[in-house]
Amino acid sequence: MSTGTTVTPTKIVCVGRNYAEHAKELGNVVPEHPLLFLKPPSSVIADGDPIVLPSMSQRVEHEGEIGVVIGRRLRRVDADATLSAVRGIVCLNDVTARDLQRSDSQWTRAKGFDTFCPVGPRIVPLDALPPLAELEVVCRVNGTVRQQGRASDMVFPIPHILSYISHIMTLEPGDLVATGSPAGVGPLEPGDVVEVEIPGVGVLRNPVERGS
Ligand code: ZN
């Protein structure tokens, strides 16, 4: 793990298919309940660190997402009580080896490579931000906008997601929740620079390198 990271989670809990348009672009239906998967803490890198493309994959894609950092332990909490336990919002890139996600029946390999979870550049508390539903996320590659999403377009809103997770596993301080990717995911090539911006939070910028 990079020494410059803003977070040291015990786990990263991600929500799949949380924007209807993104579910559609990958040929999936919108799930009835939040679809959860984990990324390992070892995948976390900081703003500026390189995303390393593994030789095992021929197609690695960006997923710019709104990240939630937990501030206080959450266990079996109702949705309306979750937000007081949130430390803040952070930009997150749920980097995914799409070919391996399609070929493997579960996603640990596709989502879990080292450097596959850029997080940063800072954590901004909720009281310094507009209302949660108004948060936006934009993902650019080499300056071109690839993804744009708004929290109000999420299938499951953030408090619902946090409550749902907390009824399955205890969320610890520092844990990260990746709230899903808007439509527009696409490939990353060596030499690219990928940016995830949440207006009011900042811009997370990472170069892309080929692994050995
Ligand atoms: Zn994702």
Side-chain angles (χ1 to χ4, degrees), residues 80-149:
D80 55 14
T82 55
L83 294 185
S84 63
V86 168
R87 180 170 156 208
I89 299 295
V90 72
C91 307
L92 186 149
N93 195 342
D94 173 21
V95 180
T96 302
R98 195 70 68 201
D99 51 350
L100 306 184
Q101 185 185 28
R102 291 208 162 97
S103 65
D104 293 359
S105 60
Q106 48 80 33
W107 304 347
T108 303
R109 184 167 65 134
K111 298 282 191 177
F113 285 97
D114 288 355
T115 78
F116 270 27
C117 192
V119 177
R122 69 185 72 82
I123 300 162
V124 177
L126 295 180
D127 59 16
L129 290 170
L132 216 44
E134 289 174 24
L135 285 183
E136 283 182 86
V137 60
V138 181
C139 182
R140 288 181 291 265
V141 177
N142 305 327
T144 303
V145 173
R146 293 261 193 97
Q147 298 179 268
Q148 210 153 9

Side-chain angles (χ1 to χ4, degrees), residues 54-60 97 99-100 187-189:
S55 56
M56 255 183 229
S57 170
Q58 306 312 309
R59 179 136 180 142
V60 173
D99 51 350
L100 306 184
L188 294 172
E189 305 294 342

Side-chain angles (χ1 to χ4, degrees), residues 14-17 22 37 63 65 92 94 96 111 178-181:
C14 307
V15 185
R17 302 170 195 166
H22 171 63
F37 58 94
E63 293 190 3
E65 304 194 10
L92 186 149
D94 173 21
T96 302
K111 298 282 191 177
T179 58
S181 171

